Amino acid sequence: MKTRVYVTLKGGVLDPQGKAIHHALGSLGFTGVNDVRAGKLIELDHEDDVSDADLEAMCKKLLANTVIENFRIERGN
């Protein structure tokens, strides 16, 4: 089974990568983008019996810094 974990910075946390992307888009001539917030996608390939609780524990203990980041789990096939 595959699971995707989306990790994003919480609102109000400075996002230098997002700012750099926003600046670069402007430099490339793209207009109309008001702001950019960058995050990361982590794909896990695991056994079917890995529980939702275990996935959430993985996020809290390793995959996301819950002080400054939010995470969202999407279980797939």
Side-chain angles (χ1 to χ4, degrees):
M1 174 176 276
K2 293 193 186 273
T3 292
R4 290 182 173 176
V5 177
Y6 296 90
V7 180
T8 56
L9 289 169
K10 290 182 177 179
V13 175
L14 183 63
D15 182 0
Q17 185 178 15
K19 293 289 183 203
I21 294 168
H22 186 236
H23 178 75
L25 289 172
S27 297
L28 292 170
F30 294 103
T31 60
V33 178
N34 296 323
D35 193 19
V36 176
R37 300 287 288 174
K40 59 187 170 187
L41 166 64
I42 301 168
E43 291 184 328
L44 303 173
D45 186 353
H46 56 82
E47 301 297 325
D48 291 347
D49 61 352
V50 174
S51 70
D52 289 345
D54 283 343
L55 290 169
E56 187 163 333
M58 291 177 202
C59 291
K60 289 180 177 176
K61 291 182 178 180
L62 179 67
L63 303 178
N65 177 351
T66 57
V67 174
I68 62 169
E69 296 174 324
N70 293 317
F71 63 88
R72 179 171 48 93
I73 299 169
E74 284 185 6
R75 292 189 81 133
N77 297 334

